[in-house]
């Protein structure tokens, strides 16, 4: 347990520092405001640099403790049908959670919005932006978040407590990491991330491998990116999503 905390401490502190820097950069308007101000090139570069740096921190911390990174994070090989099952669950869970969040927004009197649309496509539609954002937000970001929140946070909680509290607390941490200053955006981002976190922790526990939750998370994020860009291609505006 201690090794997991040590291996995770540096990247988690770094994640918190980057989180606070993003808020300062956007002058209190959240990631969406920063994305609108700075455009897709900055957003993609920021995603790539942030995630690669966090993964490097995990790798170096594990090397420092002389721990096998795959053993530490639960990167156990899976059969192909387990991966397909995780992908199938992601195909179901992503749209269902998006629908549930939209209903919650309306019930609380906020404008119904797709979480993260402005961040994913700050400059509108282009095929190049679509492909790059799928790679950055659809693939790279989920890998990093699974390493941090399921591999490290959930893994540590699972050693300290029973399954249900570990799932709940790790999902709450994942939701909190998606905080936005605007109340409406906060409801959308944090509730959606909390729901996704519940599914991902369960899948990780059930499969016994981080690859399962990575596959599911990549599926969910890729669906979200695809929905935003294909909607824009069909003529929708960002403020309509």
């Amino acid at each position: 347990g201690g090794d997991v905390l040590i291996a995770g401490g540096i990247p988690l502190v770094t994640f918190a520092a980057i989180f606070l820097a993003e808020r300062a950069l956007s002058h209190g308007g959240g990631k969406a405001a920063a994305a609108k101000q700075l455009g897709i090139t900055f957003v993609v570069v920021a995603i790539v640099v942030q995630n690669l740096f966090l993964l490097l921190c995990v790798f170096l911390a594990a090397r420092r403790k002389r721990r096998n990174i795959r053993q530490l994070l639960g990167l156990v090989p899976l059969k192909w049908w387990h991966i397909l099952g995780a992908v199938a669950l992601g195909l179901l869970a992503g749209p269902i959670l998006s629908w549930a969040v939209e209903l919650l927004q309306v019930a609380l009197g906020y404008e119904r919005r797709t979480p993260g649309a402005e961040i994913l496509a700050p400059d509108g539609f282009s095929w190049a932006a679509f492909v790059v954002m799928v790679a950055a937000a659809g693939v790279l970001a989920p890998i990093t978040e699974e390493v941090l929140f399921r591999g490290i946070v959930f893994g540590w909680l699972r050693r300290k407590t029973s399954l249900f509290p570990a799932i709940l607390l790790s999902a709450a941490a994942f939701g909190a990491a998606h905080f936005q200053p605007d109340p409406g955006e906060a409801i959308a981002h944090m509730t959606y991330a909390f729901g996704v976190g519940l599914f991902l922790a369960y899948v990780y526990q059930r499969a016994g491998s981080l690859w399962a939750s990575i596959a599911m998370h990549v599926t969910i994020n890729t669906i979200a990116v695809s929905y935003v860009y294909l909607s824009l291609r069909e003529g929708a505006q960002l403020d309509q999503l």
Side-chain angles (χ1 to χ4, degrees):
D3 288 343
V4 175
L5 274 183
I6 292 171
I10 294 174
L12 287 173
V13 169
T14 304
F15 185 90
I18 294 172
F19 176 86
L20 293 174
E22 287 173 340
R23 296 303 174 273
L25 182 63
S26 59
H27 306 291
K31 289 184 180 180
K36 288 180 181 178
Q37 294 168 9
L38 300 169
I40 190 169
T41 301
F42 179 87
V43 171
V44 170
V45 170
I47 291 173
V48 171
V49 171
Q50 173 182 339
N51 284 273
L52 290 180
F53 180 71
L54 291 169
L55 290 174
L56 178 62
C57 286
V58 174
F59 176 77
L60 293 177
R63 285 289 299 272
R64 181 175 179 273
K65 295 299 296 181
R66 304 181 190 279
R67 292 292 303 274
N68 183 291
I69 191 72
R70 287 187 287 185
Q71 178 186 10
L72 182 69
L73 299 175
L75 289 165
V76 179
L78 284 178
K79 301 293 185 181
W80 65 267
W81 55 83
H82 291 148
I83 297 294
L84 284 182
V87 169
L89 187 56
L91 289 171
L92 290 173
I96 290 173
L97 287 171
S98 294
W99 174 75
V101 168
E102 289 180 2
L103 289 181
L104 179 62
Q105 287 175 300
V106 172
L108 295 176
Y110 294 108
E111 183 181 1
R112 186 176 67 178
R113 300 295 301 275
T114 299
E118 296 90 346
I119 301 169
L120 296 174
D123 295 341
F125 175 82
S126 75
W127 284 114
F130 178 33
V131 172
V132 170
M133 192 57 75
V134 166
V139 179
L140 178 59
I143 291 173
T144 304
E145 290 177 344
E146 288 313 296
V147 167
L148 291 178
F149 290 98
R150 257 59 63 182
I152 293 175
V153 175
F154 176 74
W156 179 78
L157 288 169
R158 190 68 186 92
R159 291 171 176 81
K160 298 296 182 179
T161 185
S162 58
L163 178 60
F164 180 74
I167 290 177
L168 196 63
L169 290 171
S170 63
F174 189 52
H178 289 77
F179 171 76
Q180 296 290 311
D182 178 80
E185 289 186 6
I187 290 291
H189 284 258
M190 295 176 70
T191 305
Y192 182 78
F194 175 75
V196 169
L198 293 175
F199 275 102
L200 292 171
Y202 172 78
V203 167
Y204 176 35
Q205 175 67 27
R206 179 82 177 185
S209 173
L210 197 67
W211 290 118
S213 60
I214 287 174
M216 182 178 177
H217 200 161
V218 167
T219 301
I220 290 173
N221 278 30
T222 300
I223 289 173
V225 174
S226 300
Y227 169 75
V228 169
Y229 274 90
L230 295 180
S231 296
L232 293 174
R233 184 173 183 268
E234 294 299 315
Q237 301 298 314
L238 276 176
D239 57 7
Q240 297 173 335
L241 298 177

